Amino acid sequence: MAKTLFILYRVLAPVVGVLLATLVFVGVPLKYLAAEGSGLQSFGSEVTAIVGVGHGFLYMAYLVVSFLLWRYTRWSVLFAVLVLLAGLIPLVIFWVERVVVRRFREDYPELAPARARQPSAQGG
């Protein structure tokens, strides 16, 4: 169960992050800053509507997966809150995802999917 949650988290986190970044840095500025009635404003409205709904649904899935992963790992409540809120702050989710992956691999090496072996510094 934990391995599945970890994989789901690793998929959902970047997708939620990309959708939020698109919404905040593309859709909303075009919708509210482009000239009234322009094609750009119309495009911004469409991006905001479509990406906003996608982010909303996937963020709910992200919340469930993150919560279940936290219950399994028993990391601190403060860390859990950071992970849960990361999907609401543009670009933060990418950093938090790296921290979660590192901590999970350190705490549960037998459950984390294997990484590609790094070549040694001695060339072999």
Side-chain angles (χ1 to χ4, degrees):
M1 171 87 168
K3 186 173 183 176
T4 302
L5 288 172
F6 179 67
I7 292 169
L8 282 172
Y9 177 83
R10 294 225 41 215
V11 170
L12 284 170
V15 171
V16 168
V18 167
L19 290 175
L20 182 61
T22 302
L23 183 65
V24 170
F25 297 121
V26 177
V28 171
L30 287 178
K31 181 177 180 178
Y32 293 107
L33 299 178
E36 187 71 31
S38 69
L40 283 176
Q41 185 186 36
S42 176
F43 178 71
S45 294
E46 292 174 18
V47 167
T48 302
I50 294 167
V51 174
V53 169
H55 174 265
F57 279 113
L58 289 177
Y59 180 66
M60 287 186 280
Y62 171 84
L63 284 176
V64 170
V65 169
S66 297
F67 178 77
L68 293 174
L69 189 61
W70 168 74
R71 284 194 55 194
Y72 178 83
T73 60
R74 288 295 178 203
W75 291 328
S76 72
V77 172
L78 183 63
F79 186 70
V81 169
L82 174 67
V83 171
L84 294 172
L85 293 179
L88 297 176
I89 306 167
L91 306 179
V92 170
I93 196 167
F94 299 109
W95 172 73
V96 170
E97 188 265 345
R98 297 309 316 150
V99 173
V100 168
V101 168
R102 188 186 74 241
R103 285 184 73 172
F104 191 85
R105 285 186 172 149
E106 288 171 358
D107 296 348
Y108 305 96
E110 71 281 0
L111 294 177
R115 294 190 305 198
R117 281 189 48 147
Q118 299 293 327
S120 69
Q122 298 159 345

